[in-house]
Every structure is written in structure tokens, then in C-alpha cells.
Amino acid sequence: MRITDPQWPAVREFSRRILRDESIELHTPSEFEDDLISLLRMMSDKLPARLEFPTFVLHEQNDITVRQQSGDKWKDIMQVGLGEPEIDVLWIALEPLKAWPTIWLTLTELLEAGYPGCLGCGGPASEEPWNEEKSRLQFRS
């Protein structure tokens, strides 16, 4: 995926949230298991003050869903896949096998840059609230 792709900002936001948000679990195809283990190792090395890390649930579906716990409830907050989720869910409208290499590269680049502990290294608009409606309009046009 190129930086000019209309879904690029969603990939960046997806990756930033994985690195900064707490109480999240990633439901992913089993093909990503090795990468997920590597991600946990990298996060542990690069974010030594962090006490809680994402958990992973492997499945055989053709999507990636990220859920966040609030109290005793879980809520979908991000999704990679061709089925469109609710508007309050960050959506990358690609098959996971096509999207994952770019997500993986973005995760590793952000960790190497010091994200989320650095100021401004999250990239353009990383400090602003995410606008899912605007994102979907951009990649649909």
C-alpha cells in the first residue's frame, strides 16, 4: 500500500491504537500467529513501562477484529475485512492477507520511532481525534 492510498490513514490509526490502547484483543486469522508473537516481544522491548499488552484470539474467519474491554463488556473498535462494520468502528476495507503486510510494517516503524512515548512520531494527524466518516468517504470516492 502506498502512502497515497486513501486507506493509508486508517492503517496508520489502526497501528497506533494497537500500540497505545489498553484492554484490547485482536481476533485474527491463524496465519498471523508468528507475527503477533513477534509484536508482543517488540512491544515488551520498546515499551518497558507498559504493564498490559494486547491479547490475541486466532480464528479461521477472513477478517481482523479488534475489541476493547470497558468494565465487563467488550466492544468492536476496529476491523479489517470486506464486510462493513458500524460507523463507530475503524474500518480497513481490504482482505486481511492483503492489509497485514502494511499494518505489520507500520507497527514496526512506529515502535522503532518510539511511539507512543514520543511526541509527533505517530505521523500526520496522530494527535487529532479519528474521523471514521471522513475516512470512509475518502476511500469510496
Side-chain angles (χ1 to χ4, degrees):
M1 178 181 296
R2 295 178 184 259
I3 197 167
T4 56
D5 188 295
Q7 292 200 77
W8 174 251
V11 168
R12 293 288 290 190
E13 180 66 13
F14 185 95
S15 300
R16 286 190 294 259
R17 288 186 188 181
I18 289 173
L19 296 177
R20 83 168 178 251
D21 289 0
E22 296 192 3
S23 301
I24 62 171
E25 61 182 21
L26 282 76
H27 295 248
T28 70
S30 56
E31 293 93 334
F32 304 140
E33 183 175 17
D34 290 342
D35 284 346
L36 297 172
I37 292 168
S38 294
L39 175 62
L40 285 178
R41 287 186 181 130
M42 286 189 300
M43 289 177 73
S44 177
D45 289 345
K46 300 289 184 180
L47 308 170
R50 186 163 178 172
L51 301 175
E52 181 183 319
F53 295 93
T55 57
F56 306 110
V57 178
L58 302 177
H59 63 220
E60 299 307 318
Q61 298 164 323
N62 195 23
D63 67 19
I64 299 170
T65 301
V66 180
R67 304 180 82 205
Q68 187 168 42
Q69 186 175 23
S70 178
D72 61 349
K73 295 189 180 197
W74 287 90
K75 180 180 183 340
D76 292 354
I77 60 168
M78 298 187 289
Q79 184 175 316
V80 179
L82 299 179
E84 185 171 357
E86 298 292 325
I87 194 66
D88 63 337
V89 176
L90 185 151
W91 181 37
I92 300 172
L94 294 170
E95 291 184 10
L97 288 174
K98 290 183 180 179
W100 184 252
T102 303
I103 294 168
W104 175 251
L105 180 63
T106 305
L107 286 164
T108 57
E109 287 176 348
L110 287 169
L111 278 170
E112 287 299 318
Y115 191 82
C118 57
L119 206 52
C121 68
S126 64
E127 307 300 323
E128 298 174 20
W130 179 251
N131 185 331
E132 182 61 22
E133 288 182 36
K134 180 179 176 186
S135 173
R136 292 187 192 190
L137 282 174
Q138 286 178 327
F139 75 75
R140 283 187 173 138
S141 54

